[in-house]
Amino acid sequence: MISTDTDILATAEDWARDGRSVALATVIETWGSAPRPVGSHLVIDAEGNFQGSVSGGCVEGAVVEEAVEVIAQGQPRTLEFGVADETAWKVGLSCGGRIRVYVERISTGTVN
């Protein structure tokens, strides 16, 4: 079951409050057939633990890897996955659409 965005944001806040380094991934754009709508969230900690979904499971692994790097480096990044992209098949986004995901490191003061 995919948690609600409220649950995911609460988890992000709890993890950050507990001293865990945390990143939040948010779907910022979709085109064509996309597994999750704009505004969907995935929260990730520095060990790769995560909750939520930005793609219904098909690109979460790649987003988690990128998020761990964002946590370490502190620089946000925008990721794009789509069927036209060679990596889409590698990570499993073969639904025919495209998604853009913004990944940022957060602290308890930045979770909305």
Side-chain angles (χ1 to χ4, degrees):
M1 179 174 125
I2 297 172
S3 300
T4 68
D5 287 332
T6 302
D7 293 341
I8 295 161
L9 295 176
T11 297
E13 188 172 29
D14 290 344
W15 288 3
R17 192 179 305 119
D18 290 344
R20 293 161 84 169
S21 297
V22 178
L24 183 67
T26 305
V27 176
I28 59 171
E29 181 182 12
T30 65
W31 178 86
S33 177
R36 300 282 293 142
V38 168
S40 296
H41 296 293
L42 179 69
V43 60
I44 308 98
D45 73 7
E47 280 73 49
N49 299 302
F50 64 93
Q51 182 174 340
S53 178
V54 292
S55 70
C58 54
V59 299
E60 259 76 13
V63 174
V64 168
E65 286 180 24
E66 295 282 341
V68 170
E69 289 183 27
V70 166
I71 291 168
Q73 298 171 359
Q75 295 296 319
R77 55 181 83 162
T78 301
L79 312 173
E80 187 168 330
F81 301 96
V83 74
D85 183 349
E86 194 174 294
T87 62
W89 293 98
K90 184 166 58 171
V91 298
L93 185 65
S94 57
C95 57
R98 183 181 75 216
I99 62 171
R100 291 182 71 208
V101 178
Y102 183 72
V103 183
E104 62 187 320
R105 184 178 175 149
I106 60 168
S107 66
T108 55
T110 59
V111 178
N112 296 318

